[in-house]
Amino acid sequence: MIQLTIDGRAIQVQDGATVMEAARANGIDIPHLCYHPDLSVSGGCRLCLVEIEGRPFPVPGCGLACADDMVIRTQSEQLSAMRREIIDLFISDHPLDCVTCDKAGACLLQKYAYEYGISETSHDFEVSRTLYQDDNPFFLRDHQYCILCGRCVRVCSEIVGANAIEIVGRGFESHVATPFDGPMIDSSCVFCGSCVQVCPTAALMPVSRRGQGREWDLDRVKTICGYCGVGCEIEYARRNGKIVYAQARPDAPVNGEFLCSKGRYGWDFATSPQRLTRPMIRRDVAYDLGLTDDPWTLPDSSPLADEKPRIEDSFVPVDWDTALNLIGERLADTVKEYGPDSVMGLSSARCTNEENYLFQKFMRAGIGTNNVDHCARL
Amino acid sequence: MTNSIREIRDADCLFITGSNTAVSHPVISYEVIRAVKRGANLIIVDPRRIPLVDHATLFLQIKPGTDIYVFLAIMHTIIREGWVNDTFIAERTEGFDKFKAVVEEYPPERAALISGVPVEQIEAAARIYALGERASGTSIYDDKRGHSAILYAMGITQRSNGTDLVMTLANLAMLGGHVGKPSTGVNPLRGQSNVQGACDLGCLVNVFPGYQAVTDEAKRTTLAQAWNVPSLPGEVGLTIVEAMHAASEGKVRAVYVMGENPMMSDPNTSHVEHALRSLDLLVVQDIFPSETAFLAHIILPAAASLEKDGSFTNTERRVQLLKPVIAAPGEARPDWQITGEIAARFDHYLGIAREPGYWVFPSAEAIFKEIAAVTPIYGGMSYQRLAGAGISWPCPTPDHAGTQYLHVGKFSRGLGKFNPVQAHDPAEQPDDEYPLILSTGRVLYHYHTGTMTRRSEPLAWREPGGFVEINPADADGLQGSGGVVIESRRGSVRAEVRISDRVPPGTIFLAFHWRESPANMLTQDFALDPVAKIPEYKVCAVRLKQA
Ligand code: SF4
Ligand code: SF4
Ligand code: FES
């Protein structure tokens, strides 16, 4: 354990902790842009400068290892002046489009410009990067907003392991790029959106949220992903009851801030026009019951043989009571005539615990059979 | 999983087999990447050159179906070289001597001949895994031996000797004593959001909720009392694949399907279709008109998981709460409401009277209360406690914190048993007529039978259609992009070709998401694993024809 003082508070930390980590663990927020708790330290933005007692110059707190009896100050007149100068430089080539920007309210650069009272740059304004890449339906890359913090590059290599992007070029030329600036789909990108998640500005944004409302227009609900068995927690940002985009939160118990492509972008199936919205009875059964006047027989060809089969062609919609009564009656008849073991229940690994529980209870305590299974094996 | 997902990042050695983790469980692969960046060794045993191989320190590329020989040879080496964890074996296990005698018959030289993996690689894997060696950096654990964890998935279980393979991996873990500690264990990665929960809550033919055997009379009586019924069935039921055979024979007459698509997911599609067509009653409750729904008599519209309350249990046994994000479309209802209503009406037609609220619950939470009351491993859970980070079972009492990793100090059965397992070859081997091996599985952007992901615009953009992966060596004579016809003894399927060295020569890979190229037309349903009744999706014999 190491003992040090930050902003007048005595703090104890594990060996090897940085000043940034020590401060955060104790609720002291040091301004930062390139630092991210899940990524390696880059030390590029220098916004996290802190003063160490007995040393002439401030140093970046994100890379500074704690040492015994260190005395650290994270706020001072001198530090504020330096931070103002850094932000001033950042916004000398970052358009202040905050009035129309979708990221407003969640942008870190905007946050610090506000906190340090910088409304315009004192330098000559010139955008160094102008590339605008909308080459995929997952996310947009609008380089004029990029501050070259490198978080996206690090997350792609250190967490995702995809190594799809890197910072290329020097000076004004430098930007985040796929090999030869090609489209994302030709790179090793897996469209996980982790880079979008950690980008502090509007340089990387989900396509689905373009023009769909700003942070304060959206409400948020967290639930568990319905795809694989990892159990990622996903936060959906909604407007008027519709999903605008999905992201993950650092406190998500399993996945932290990270998701895969299906979880982050694959939620739009839910509003597909092909969803089933009414109970339906097959036309031949409906005819026998007098629910339709047209006789019909199930074709012999496999449903797989038909390229785009339409469910309306084979089924007629009915109300819930008609459907539920018919099922109750036919199941009862089957059990009366052939016994409980002539019924089989197939439940689902995509349904909830409550649904699976009730389903097997129905098969066992209702029907009276252990013929209940799901595709655990498939 | 015996251990939790977050522990993976701190492992000293990871041993991954039969899991294309970056594709089927991407977020777990992120943990693997973190471990590797911190200096862990990553050993991969797989026939395919999966994406994680780029990060591996050791890749044992086996011929499909020969992994059992490699595992046995690794254990042979560990014993021969004295890398076993003697204390662990002495204190916590039984049956070692008998097991050792079997393993002695499987030296690395034999495995090398059969699997194509060089002896040196087998021996290196044995040392690194057993001793928990790191590639670089220092362990966060200060044990003499590093912490090694095994991760596996369907490449192990979807095999005619799947149960043997799972027991073999457990044997391997016990040899090194890599159980009951953080960042160790034998960790099956489960494929679907709530496959763990569906098993936990008894949607299996042989167990009631909480893995209580249906054949155990005492358990049966207790549950019958809790459910207020005179008795419960005591015979093990029919699994999906068995039920399909029974339906063809007229023994099963009615099938109620909640959110499954056996026409795409089950082996030997033609046979499944024949079985489903022979039924008197097929009810399909789903969110989309699946291929199976087209054969149903009655279809019921269900709410998707984004539209309802409830809970899921993930692959590390963590029970977490769902919250509705959007409204269900039209008249669609949550599955629990539908099942409850069907059950109540079934009672009515049979003239059975039960207390009100027996089937029809006011909320998902009310059902969960009943779950906790009859399922010992969920006994201490409530919605109130699950809010936040959830709880991992076993959690028997309201003051129990849940269980991050299993088998601390002792196994659930007491001593860990070494099961002497012999090697077996896949049921259907390639021959002159059908010279290639077909493996099925998933691609990154799609999920299962594709009903959801293929209707997602960005995902369908990234991977619009079905394709079969073929090694350049097997692609000779398949000119152009005209596609190919894959034939097995069960059926034939047309697919676009993707030439790729991710598959070894002699093996082709076709995911089962594609209705235009339904892989399960080809797979076999005759040789199930004798215990787990799992079909051998990973190995069947096929041949290719120019389309
Ligand atoms: S795109 Fe975003 S995350 Fe990447 S360097 Fe630019 S500002 Fe940083
Ligand atoms: S989406 Fe994922 S893989 Fe693609 S560049 Fe971003 S972090 Fe890398
Ligand atoms: S946060 Fe420390 S240098 Fe950027």
Side-chain angles (χ1 to χ4, degrees):
Chain A
M1 282 303 217
I2 295 174
Q3 293 267 9
L4 75 168
T5 308
I6 304 182
D7 290 347
R9 279 169 59 188
I11 284 173
Q12 262 209 353
V13 289
Q14 295 282 347
D15 292 6
T18 62
V19 168
M20 177 69 92
E21 287 162 353
R24 286 167 64 90
N26 289 279
I28 300 170
D29 182 35
I30 305 179
H32 58 277
L33 285 167
C34 67
Y35 168 81
H36 186 285
D38 285 301
L39 305 176
S40 65
V41 168
S42 123
C45 78
R46 306 188 78 74
L47 204 62
C48 64
L49 289 175
V50 295
E51 292 170 352
I52 312 170
E53 205 166 89
R55 294 222 208 149
F57 304 110
V59 290
C62 63
L64 177 64
C66 293
D68 265 326
D69 304 327
M70 231 178 199
V71 178
I72 301 285
R73 254 189 319 279
T74 74
Q75 305 290 343
S76 74
E77 248 328 295
Q78 180 198 355
L79 289 173
S80 290
M82 294 173 109
R83 287 180 190 145
R84 272 197 293 274
E85 180 48 34
I86 292 166
I87 296 162
D88 188 349
L89 261 172
F90 271 123
I91 63 171
S92 74
D93 77 342
H94 180 107
L96 291 187
D97 292 340
C98 303
V99 287
T100 51
C101 179
D102 286 322
K103 186 85 175 216
C107 171
L108 273 188
L109 186 57
Q110 184 194 43
K111 169 183 142 124
Y112 292 125
Y114 172 81
E115 282 175 12
Y116 286 87
I118 315 280
S119 55
E120 58 183 353
T121 183
S122 63
H123 304 271
D124 288 338
F125 179 82
E126 189 192 356
V127 180
S128 346
R129 289 166 289 277
T130 51
L131 213 53
Y132 178 83
Q133 293 169 299
D134 59 348
D135 55 22
N136 70 80
F138 297 89
F139 54 87
L140 300 164
R141 292 178 286 156
D142 193 348
H143 294 253
Q144 59 179 334
Y145 299 121
C146 174
I147 56 170
L148 289 183
C149 67
R151 287 186 184 199
C152 54
V153 174
R154 277 176 285 148
V155 79
C156 189
S157 132
E158 295 168 14
I159 307 277
V160 184
N163 298 316
I165 44 178
E166 55 179 347
I167 295 182
V168 300
R170 287 167 177 273
F172 280 124
E173 292 288 293
S174 62
H175 65 286
V176 177
T178 54
F180 310 106
D181 271 326
M184 286 314 300
I185 196 168
D186 295 337
S187 73
S188 54
C189 173
V190 294
F191 296 103
C192 65
S194 302
C195 51
V196 182
Q197 172 92 33
V198 299
C199 177
T201 71
L204 297 171
M205 293 287 274
V207 169
S208 63
R209 75 171 295 189
R210 187 165 37 176
Q212 295 301 306
R214 311 216 287 165
E215 288 295 304
W216 50 84
D217 298 323
L218 310 174
D219 63 356
R220 288 150 204 288
V221 198
K222 287 193 233 178
T223 193
I224 305 302
C225 180
Y227 287 116
C228 83
V230 174
C232 295
E233 185 184 81
I234 305 181
E235 183 189 83
Y236 294 88
R238 303 180 301 187
R239 190 174 194 192
N240 303 327
K242 293 206 173 78
I243 298 172
V244 172
Y245 71 99
Q247 63 178 346
R249 286 297 189 185
D251 61 357
V254 181
N255 52 302
E257 278 190 80
F258 308 104
L259 293 168
C260 79
S261 161
K262 295 184 285 289
R264 200 183 289 276
Y265 298 107
W267 39 264
D268 56 326
F269 75 87
T271 49
S272 153
Q274 290 164 35
R275 281 289 297 273
L276 294 169
T277 57
R278 294 189 63 185
M280 290 186 284
I281 296 184
R282 203 167 75 198
R283 288 188 178 275
D284 49 344
V285 182
Y287 179 77
D288 292 344
L289 292 168
L291 295 169
T292 163
D293 296 332
D294 310 319
W296 187 85
T297 41
L298 179 66
D300 286 334
S301 68
S302 169
L304 284 165
D306 202 341
E307 205 170 304
K308 281 209 165 79
R310 288 163 21 108
I311 200 81
E312 314 80 84
D313 296 345
S314 330
F315 286 79
V316 288
V318 294
D319 59 52
W320 271 105
D321 266 331
T322 308
L324 293 169
N325 284 331
L326 184 63
I327 298 168
E329 187 180 358
R330 297 250 160 131
L331 281 175
D333 289 348
T334 310
V335 171
K336 269 190 270 182
E337 199 169 336
Y338 302 102
D341 289 333
S342 66
V343 179
M344 163 86 196
L346 254 185
S347 85
S348 173
R350 291 177 288 284
C351 286
T352 63
N353 287 329
E354 292 74 6
E355 289 159 345
N356 278 292
Y357 171 80
L358 193 60
F359 190 91
Q360 60 86 39
K361 183 183 175 191
F362 172 45
M363 297 313 289
R364 293 187 159 119
I367 305 268
T369 181
N370 283 318
N371 292 346
V372 53
D373 201 5
H374 68 287
C375 65
R377 309 174 179 82
L378 314 183
Chain B
M1 292 171 73
T2 57
N3 289 56
S4 75
I5 294 168
R6 282 280 173 105
E7 293 165 41
I8 294 172
R9 62 179 71 170
D10 294 320
D12 299 307
C13 164
L14 292 166
F15 186 100
I16 303 185
T17 183
S19 155
N20 189 353
T21 322
V23 160
S24 295
H25 301 89
V27 173
I28 291 182
S29 81
Y30 303 166
E31 290 289 324
V32 174
I33 300 288
R34 287 191 204 232
V36 170
K37 299 277 170 186
R38 293 172 185 196
N41 265 307
L42 172 59
I43 304 171
I44 294 179
V45 183
D46 206 287
R48 297 172 68 202
R49 196 178 174 84
I50 55 173
L52 269 186
V53 167
D54 294 346
H55 303 272
T57 32
L58 202 52
F59 172 39
L60 280 55
Q61 189 166 25
I62 49 166
K63 293 195 188 122
T66 63
D67 46 2
I68 184 75
Y69 294 95
V70 172
F71 300 151
L72 288 165
I74 286 176
M75 297 192 292
H76 176 105
T77 312
I78 294 174
I79 295 172
R80 189 190 65 201
E81 299 297 324
W83 294 326
V84 292
N85 188 329
D86 295 315
T87 340
F88 185 90
I89 292 172
E91 287 170 4
R92 297 207 36 196
T93 68
E94 60 185 0
F96 179 69
D97 291 333
K98 223 165 135 201
F99 158 80
K100 186 176 161 197
V102 168
V103 171
E104 262 160 21
E105 299 160 30
Y106 294 91
E109 291 72 18
R110 181 173 171 193
L113 257 157
I114 298 171
S115 68
V117 177
V119 170
E120 310 75 67
Q121 282 194 4
I122 295 175
E123 289 175 345
R127 189 193 69 244
I128 294 169
Y129 172 79
L131 304 178
E133 283 180 8
R134 300 181 66 83
S136 64
T138 44
S139 179
I140 70 155
Y141 302 110
D142 25 71
D143 295 357
K144 266 211 290 316
R145 209 178 265 262
H147 288 207
S148 298
I150 299 173
L151 310 182
Y152 71 91
M154 294 300 195
I156 292 297
T157 51
Q158 289 180 343
R159 301 274 296 281
S160 55
N161 58 341
T163 303
D164 280 358
L165 284 160
V166 172
M167 288 195 296
T168 299
L169 294 178
N171 291 342
L172 176 58
M174 289 192 297
L175 271 190
H178 296 307
V179 188
K181 294 183 288 187
S183 307
T184 66
V186 185
N187 300 286
L189 310 181
R190 315 224 39 187
Q192 301 174 74
S193 50
N194 200 32
V195 62
Q196 183 69 51
C199 292
D200 295 350
L201 296 171
C203 285
L204 292 172
V205 296
N206 57 341
V207 286
F208 297 130
Y211 304 99
Q212 312 183 75
V214 300
T215 48
D216 181 330
E217 188 165 351
K219 297 270 158 65
R220 228 162 45 228
T221 315
T222 316
L223 189 61
Q225 268 166 11
W227 282 349
N228 200 10
V229 286
S231 67
L232 285 168
E235 259 173 52
V236 171
L238 300 174
T239 63
I240 306 183
V241 177
E242 291 170 334
M244 290 303 138
H245 288 288
S248 290
E249 294 162 15
K251 288 186 195 140
V252 162
R253 319 285 305 201
V255 174
Y256 172 20
V257 181
M258 171 171 83
E260 294 266 297
N261 189 8
M263 275 291 287
M264 288 283 289
S265 62
D266 287 31
N268 195 355
T269 306
S270 310
H271 179 247
V272 171
E273 179 168 346
H274 176 258
L276 295 176
R277 281 176 185 267
S278 3
L279 295 169
D280 299 340
L281 177 67
L282 175 60
V283 178
V284 171
Q285 174 177 318
D286 210 326
I287 63 173
F288 284 114
S290 67
E291 289 70 20
T292 307
F294 275 88
L295 299 173
H297 298 95
I298 304 160
I299 300 179
L300 302 171
S305 66
L306 276 172
E307 298 156 355
K308 60 194 177 190
D309 282 303
S311 60
F312 278 169
T313 305
N314 78 352
T315 188
E316 53 169 11
R317 297 168 280 105
R318 187 191 299 266
V319 185
Q320 303 185 95
L321 291 183
L322 305 183
K323 285 275 166 278
V325 175
I326 49 177
E331 296 175 22
R333 295 182 184 176
D335 292 281
W336 57 269
Q337 284 180 11
I338 307 175
T339 305
E341 287 289 342
I342 292 177
R345 287 163 212 243
F346 170 82
D347 273 4
H348 168 82
Y349 285 104
L350 280 187
I352 302 170
R354 298 188 218 246
E355 60 269 36
Y358 189 87
W359 297 121
V360 179
F361 286 80
S363 64
E365 182 171 9
I367 305 176
F368 195 85
K369 285 199 179 116
E370 187 175 312
I371 292 178
V374 302
T375 314
I377 51 176
Y378 283 54
M381 297 182 194
S382 63
Y383 270 28
Q384 209 182 350
R385 289 196 70 198
L386 293 178
I391 298 177
S392 298
W393 64 257
C395 171
T397 54
D399 54 5
H400 192 287
T403 309
Q404 185 192 324
Y405 51 93
L406 301 173
H407 312 314
V408 183
K410 90 186 213 323
F411 290 94
S412 20
R413 71 182 288 275
L415 290 179
K417 183 165 191 302
F418 277 101
N419 287 291
V421 166
Q422 296 277 3
H424 286 284
D425 295 323
E428 193 178 61
Q429 296 279 10
D431 53 23
D432 289 346
E433 223 185 321
Y434 295 94
L436 297 172
I437 292 176
L438 166 76
S439 269
T440 73
R442 295 182 181 172
V443 304
L444 174 59
Y445 301 94
H446 290 291
Y447 174 72
H448 226 63
T449 67
T451 47
M452 302 197 289
T453 47
R454 296 200 78 188
R455 290 180 174 94
S456 164
E457 202 189 299
L459 299 176
W461 172 87
R462 180 62 185 79
E463 208 74 275
F467 59 87
V468 54
E469 280 183 296
I470 302 178
N471 186 280
D474 298 317
D476 274 3
L478 300 172
Q479 331 90 343
S481 60
V484 70
V485 174
I486 313 163
E487 295 178 336
S488 80
R489 292 186 174 84
R490 271 74 51 191
S492 77
V493 155
R494 217 199 109 100
E496 296 301 318
V497 173
R498 196 173 282 184
I499 308 280
S500 158
D501 58 7
R502 290 223 182 266
V503 286
T507 298
I508 65 171
F509 177 81
L510 177 64
F512 66 112
H513 314 300
W514 323 110
R515 67 184 312 279
E516 68 277 20
S517 309
N520 284 316
M521 294 291 295
L522 306 165
T523 51
Q524 57 91 354
D525 59 348
F526 59 86
L528 306 181
D529 177 82
V531 182
K533 308 278 173 70
I534 304 182
E536 191 152 44
Y537 287 111
K538 298 303 178 198
V539 187
C540 81
V542 295
R543 64 184 173 214
L544 298 178
K545 278 215 314 235
Q546 181 80 45

